[in-house]
Amino acid sequence: MSGKGAPELSVSDAGDLRVGVIAAQWHEKVMDGLVDGALRALRDLGIAEPTVLRVPGSWELPVAAKVLADRGYDAVVALGVVIRGGTPHFEYVCQGVTAGLTRVGTDTGVPVGFGVLTCDTEEQALDRAGLPGSGEDKGHEAVTAAVATAVALRSLSEPWREAPRHTA
Ligand code: RBF
């Protein structure tokens, strides 16, 4: 999937949102880049005290996302890296994590940012990790998307205010 066509999101009034970031620990260098990008995005958005929770692997992301969503967080962001190996394990893990995170969002109504890289090689993952020299910054993107969605959903409880255009 190409990263081309991504919107330039401008998000305001997000400073009071409670945001939880959950991050797997496999592929340390890539994860360091994703977590740094996520924290940078939170600073950009004026969100001062996010919760950052580390779990062992990407497989554990959905259960952690569900618990944070149930605890009343306004947005949750899941970060992980799965690299294809020589067995079908990659497909099972990717499928489980993707379906699990989707389900958490739709079951709870809490936006779940998807910052899970599923790559053939570590080089591809490094290029998306927001590190010096990377072409993309998927941790930053995942936070911005989840928070933009939370802001848009919050506008629904204020009936006389027009929903922000960028999230329509
Ligand atoms: N977790 C990841 O986050 N990324 C991986 O690339 C990854 N590869 C795995 C490969 C195998 C063969 C196994 C058994 C696990 C892998 N995991 C990976 C760990 C998985 O997400 C989870 O933490 C463990 O299976 C324990 O529930």
Side-chain angles (χ1 to χ4, degrees):
M1 205 161 114
S2 147
K4 287 189 187 131
E8 278 285 330
L9 297 175
S10 83
V11 186
S12 51
D13 298 330
D16 61 330
L17 292 182
R18 290 153 302 170
V19 179
V21 175
I22 13 166
Q25 297 179 62
W26 279 58
H27 311 292
E28 189 178 2
K29 186 171 176 194
V30 182
M31 284 309 308
D32 285 350
L34 291 178
V35 171
D36 283 355
L39 296 178
R40 198 171 353 98
L42 289 161
R43 277 196 302 276
D44 293 347
L45 293 161
I47 297 168
E49 291 184 3
T51 297
V52 180
L53 194 65
R54 300 306 293 255
V55 295
S58 296
W59 187 258
E60 283 71 42
L61 292 170
V63 67
K66 173 75 163 75
V67 170
L68 289 189
D70 286 346
R71 289 269 172 103
Y73 281 81
D74 299 299
V76 176
V77 181
L79 305 175
V81 186
V82 191
I83 310 268
R84 188 187 290 279
T87 70
H89 200 81
F90 175 82
E91 268 77 24
Y92 291 119
V93 171
C94 294
Q95 174 68 27
V97 173
T98 307
L101 292 173
T102 303
R103 180 164 174 189
V104 171
T106 51
D107 282 0
T108 65
V110 174
V112 178
F114 187 72
V116 181
L117 303 180
T118 60
C119 298
D120 288 335
T121 64
E122 189 179 26
E123 289 65 38
Q124 288 178 346
L126 289 167
D127 192 44
R128 290 158 177 76
L131 292 163
S134 296
E136 295 180 83
D137 191 355
K138 293 299 183 190
H140 192 285
E141 281 180 33
V143 165
T144 309
V147 171
T149 306
V151 169
L153 294 177
R154 180 164 64 177
S155 74
L156 294 175
S157 59
E158 301 164 17
W160 306 115
R161 220 179 90 184
E162 193 183 339
R165 195 167 168 276
H166 60 268
T167 48

